[in-house]
Amino acid sequence: MDATVRLRRLGLLTGMAILLLLAVAGPAAAADPPAGASITGPCTVTATSLDESGADLDTMTGPATSDPNNPFDVDRKSTVAWSGTGPPITSGSYSLSIYGFPILAGTIDNPAGETSADGVIDVAEILSFVPFDLVGVVEVGAGIGGTGGSCSGNAWIRIGGDPLTSVPGLLGMGAAILGLIGVVSAVPGRHPARGFFAGMLLGVGAGILTLVFGIVPIGALSPPVAILGGAILGLIAGLLPVGGGEAA
């Protein structure tokens, strides 16, 4: 196969990757409305995040629509002031999770049956319960329940930071670079197996990078689904007949 045909097929592969990224990213909003938290039960919440200088950064209210394309922005070096109302739970428990994985839990002691509360969250303190530098858009879930009632909810939150210096970012870059090198080295068509597995590695790396850079999956898809989408792209890349040489 001559160089012209190879370049055309490489162009096709590149075009497929760009189309998938555009589909994943979705249309950009002209102006972000206030972020929302989806709540089940008789509870309400309002939160305001501050940047590192102490100025207002973003607001979130609930119950409302929790949209991954309009996440609640928080500064990992600052705080979030919140207030909320709920049923008169005199005793019970609460929990906090990220993508369904529990990171924090505790008990409630409210003998007076208060139905409102407020406070300030130190973002860095909450993130200390996560075993790696969490950056980008994540789905946070919370639940509270016990004697007197219960509520649960979730919200999409964008954690500020440098994705390229985070552990997931470094892993994603490393996997994507190694996978890309492997796919390119298989282009002559002499190493289809190498292209297949390198394509998988490239896809996983690309999937991780879409997460840490805040390119959110369509709807409320979880990271495993996003990474699987990247892996499928990598498999297609590894299986495309982008070369024409005979097997060595």
Side-chain angles (χ1 to χ4, degrees), residues 118-200:
D118 58 71
V120 176
I121 297 172
D122 186 323
V123 178
E125 182 178 353
I126 295 297
L127 293 179
S128 68
F129 293 98
V130 182
F132 55 84
D133 294 334
L134 195 61
V135 181
V137 179
V138 298
E139 186 182 29
V140 176
I144 181 172
T147 304
S150 65
C151 291
S152 62
N154 68 280
W156 289 91
I157 295 178
R158 179 162 45 213
I159 302 170
D162 185 358
L164 295 181
T165 61
S166 67
V167 172
L170 293 174
L171 289 175
M173 278 195 301
I177 291 172
L178 290 176
L180 181 61
I181 291 173
V183 169
V184 171
S185 70
V187 164
R190 297 188 176 94
H191 306 286
R194 180 194 302 173
F196 180 86
F197 291 108
M200 287 188 64

Side-chain angles (χ1 to χ4, degrees), residues 32-241:
D32 286 343
S38 175
I39 296 177
T40 300
C43 291
T44 67
V45 65
T46 300
T48 300
S49 60
L50 304 179
D51 63 19
E52 196 171 357
S53 69
D56 288 357
L57 179 61
D58 200 2
T59 59
M60 179 179 68
T61 60
T65 300
S66 176
D67 184 357
N69 294 307
N70 181 32
F72 179 49
D73 288 295
V74 301
D75 189 326
R76 64 188 307 111
K77 296 181 180 180
S78 191
T79 59
V80 174
W82 65 273
S83 62
T85 64
I89 302 174
T90 55
S91 63
S93 62
Y94 67 87
S95 62
L96 185 69
S97 64
I98 294 180
Y99 284 123
F101 297 99
I103 63 168
L104 185 62
T107 58
I108 300 168
D109 185 18
N110 179 31
E114 298 289 343
T115 57
S116 64
D118 58 71
V120 176
I121 297 172
D122 186 323
V123 178
E125 182 178 353
I126 295 297
L127 293 179
S128 68
F129 293 98
V130 182
F132 55 84
D133 294 334
L134 195 61
V135 181
V137 179
V138 298
E139 186 182 29
V140 176
I144 181 172
T147 304
S150 65
C151 291
S152 62
N154 68 280
W156 289 91
I157 295 178
R158 179 162 45 213
I159 302 170
D162 185 358
L164 295 181
T165 61
S166 67
V167 172
L170 293 174
L171 289 175
M173 278 195 301
I177 291 172
L178 290 176
L180 181 61
I181 291 173
V183 169
V184 171
S185 70
V187 164
R190 297 188 176 94
H191 306 286
R194 180 194 302 173
F196 180 86
F197 291 108
M200 287 188 64
L201 185 61
L202 171 61
V204 170
I208 294 174
L209 291 176
T210 62
L211 296 176
V212 299
F213 276 100
I215 303 174
V216 191
I218 296 172
L221 299 180
S222 60
V225 177
I227 294 174
L228 177 62
I232 291 173
L233 174 63
L235 285 172
I236 294 173
L239 291 172
L240 275 179

